[in-house]
Amino acid sequence: MKINSILILSAFYLLFLGCSSSSDDGPDSPPAIDKSANLLGTGDSANDILSNDTFTKLKIEIAYVTGFRPTPRAIENFVNYLRARTFKQDIELVYTQLPSPDEETLSLEEVAELESENRTAYNEDDTLAIYIYFADAPADDDDEEEGLVTLGAVYRNTSMIIHEATVWSLAAQSIFISITDVETATLEHEFGHLFGLVDLGTVPINDHEDPDAANHCDVQGCLMRAELQFGGPSSKSALAEKSEGIKADCALSGASVLKLLDTKTANGSSMIVPDLDAECILDLQSNGGR
């Protein structure tokens, strides 16, 4: 009798374990996150960002290394820029503080790996998610002696890195330029590529792509211009940097940005950071933007 009782209890115990383990995959389990729509090429989501046809809300995850959070004014400028050029009025900001990866420099592959480990915001229902990482380390191929330092880069349809440590270093070189100025210029220029500019997912109405700087504008004074404002044809900003599996469609160089901002300040301009020119705005309007 005792043996039968032990056998019965054992059977119930095994049945309980079976039910418990199977319940992990049951209807109450959280669904797997579909990340595929956020792993496309730069500019592939241009229309989705600009219009409200598919997504009516933007969720921007601002991931930053402790101590390298962007300035509130730069983020305010950035959000105003998005509202001015897109139909997205519902914009949510999510701040994610991260520990330092303890790297002296960061390659684009390492940036992508950090994103896969730390990103929490992905497209869901009517919400389109953007991920911006503010790093405490410069890009691995910077050449400070030659003045070629990378401020930021876009490498996927909803992914961007800002080398915040480099932004700080660049801003410190001028008494007239603030960290906010450099952050704003970098964020707005790089996001212009996520808008699909120039001919990077948003087809130009008129030809205004710089023949010496792919995906950049040839109109003087435009935010998306490469040759004068964000480095010349020989600089990193004018040419896409490629690495295995990851491509930076724009790696924004610092020296020319500082020169531009200094020039506009010296001229007494009330708007230090340049705006998009009429051709770029026309292109955005043709692809669902304002």
Side-chain angles (χ1 to χ4, degrees):
M1 180 68 71
K2 182 181 290 186
I3 294 176
N4 288 338
S5 299
I6 293 173
L7 289 175
I8 292 171
L9 289 173
S10 298
F12 274 115
Y13 180 68
L14 291 173
L15 180 62
F16 174 77
L17 286 179
C19 292
S20 298
S21 61
S22 63
S23 66
D24 292 340
D25 299 321
D28 295 332
S29 301
I33 299 175
D34 182 4
K35 304 177 181 180
S36 60
N38 298 99
L39 301 176
L40 306 177
T42 303
D44 285 352
S45 294
N47 178 261
D48 287 337
I49 294 172
L50 292 165
S51 74
N52 279 347
D53 294 346
T54 303
F55 300 97
T56 58
K57 177 180 178 179
L58 274 183
K59 183 175 184 179
I60 303 175
E61 182 173 6
I62 298 174
Y64 64 96
V65 172
T66 302
F68 289 83
R69 179 168 171 154
T71 62
R73 182 61 183 273
I75 297 302
E76 180 184 352
N77 293 339
F78 175 52
V79 171
N80 290 338
Y81 169 72
L82 296 178
R83 289 197 170 118
R85 298 302 172 212
T86 80
F87 282 92
K88 298 289 191 301
Q89 298 305 298
D90 188 357
I91 300 175
E92 177 185 2
L93 301 176
V94 177
Y95 287 89
T96 303
Q97 181 174 288
L98 299 171
S100 172
D102 292 324
E103 299 286 348
E104 291 187 4
T105 62
L106 287 173
S107 68
L108 211 53
E109 291 90 343
E110 290 171 324
V111 170
E113 289 174 5
L114 288 169
E115 177 183 359
S116 65
E117 293 170 4
N118 299 307
R119 180 170 180 166
T120 63
Y122 293 92
N123 294 0
E124 184 178 6
D125 299 328
D126 63 349
T127 300
L128 190 154
I130 305 290
Y131 182 82
I132 306 177
Y133 178 53
F134 288 79
D136 64 341
D140 66 335
D141 54 357
D142 279 0
D143 188 341
E144 293 188 16
E145 293 183 0
E146 294 294 327
L148 295 177
V149 294
T150 302
L151 295 176
V154 287
Y155 54 95
R156 288 188 182 129
N157 60 322
T158 62
S159 302
M160 182 193 306
I161 178 171
I162 306 295
H163 292 281
E164 186 71 357
T166 306
V167 168
W168 289 9
S169 177
L170 189 74
Q173 297 178 29
S174 171
I175 62 174
F176 302 106
I177 303 303
S178 68
I179 292 173
T180 293
D181 295 330
V182 182
E183 286 175 337
T184 300
T186 304
L187 281 166
E188 294 185 1
H189 176 90
E190 292 304 325
F191 212 92
H193 291 301
L194 297 189
F195 287 158
L197 299 172
V198 173
D199 200 16
L200 193 63
T202 293
V203 179
I205 298 301
N206 303 306
D207 183 17
H208 61 102
E209 184 176 7
D210 190 332
D212 296 317
N215 306 128
H216 288 82
C217 185
D218 67 359
V219 178
Q220 295 285 347
C222 179
L223 173 68
M224 300 309 296
R225 185 166 171 81
E227 182 178 357
L228 294 181
Q229 298 180 341
F230 297 100
S234 62
S235 78
K236 297 194 311 179
S237 65
L239 300 175
E241 300 292 321
K242 294 183 179 180
S243 53
E244 295 181 9
I246 300 291
K247 173 185 176 183
D249 289 280
C250 174
L252 189 58
S253 181
S256 295
V257 173
L258 185 62
K259 182 178 180 181
L260 168 70
L261 297 179
D262 266 330
T263 300
K264 292 179 76 69
T265 301
N267 291 337
S269 174
S270 60
M271 185 177 66
I272 296 177
V273 177
D275 201 352
L276 295 173
D277 78 295
E279 292 293 345
C280 282
I281 293 175
L282 184 63
D283 294 346
L284 296 188
Q285 290 172 342
S286 74
N287 198 23
R290 292 183 185 272

